[in-house]
Amino acid sequence: MSQAPSSEIRRVVYVSRQMTGESLRSAQAVARLHEVALFGICEQMPDSARSENFADLICVPAAGDHDHLVKAAQVLSQRHGPLHQLVTAQETLLESVAEANEALSLHGMEA
């Protein structure tokens, strides 16, 4: 798999039910990666201090539903340009995130 050219910003979408605690720390770690713009998809909008970690956030009714993830990712892509990958640190969301990556032809594990 080829890596993005060094001058290209990778638009990474972090998926979580709530952007709090360990999940927020994981998102912050992704945001610190070199040349990454972090976006989020979650079920509950975090407070403004937590929202500042993301270039944009979209709420969905069910983060475990890959159809909701695909639609939200398409909105983010329309707003900000092509996405690189959807990621999560929540085990219960791994399958839906993998399915969404596959449906969107993005980098990531296949379902």
Side-chain angles (χ1 to χ4, degrees):
M1 181 183 323
S2 64
Q3 294 185 341
S6 61
S7 63
E8 184 178 319
I9 297 294
R10 293 172 290 160
R11 293 173 191 88
V12 176
V13 181
Y14 188 82
V15 179
S16 180
R17 295 189 191 286
Q18 297 179 6
M19 299 297 185
T20 59
E22 188 63 33
S23 184
L24 180 61
R25 286 188 290 280
S26 296
Q28 290 167 331
V30 172
R32 286 191 297 270
L33 294 173
H34 184 65
E35 297 178 343
V36 165
L38 183 65
F39 301 89
I41 298 173
C42 56
E43 292 177 359
Q44 293 181 327
M45 191 62 76
D47 61 34
S48 62
R50 291 182 178 107
S51 294
E52 291 176 0
N53 292 283
F54 302 89
D56 197 357
L57 275 167
I58 294 184
C59 283
V60 295
D65 182 329
H66 80 277
D67 288 329
H68 290 275
L69 298 181
V70 168
K71 289 175 187 170
Q74 289 170 333
V75 170
L76 289 170
S77 181
Q78 289 171 354
R79 289 181 186 171
H80 304 283
L83 302 176
H84 181 73
Q85 184 176 23
L86 275 66
V87 298
T88 188
Q90 294 183 317
E91 185 176 353
T92 58
L93 298 178
L94 288 173
E95 185 175 3
S96 59
V97 168
E99 290 171 345
N101 274 318
E102 187 173 39
L104 295 163
S105 300
L106 300 178
H107 301 272
M109 298 182 342
E110 294 182 359

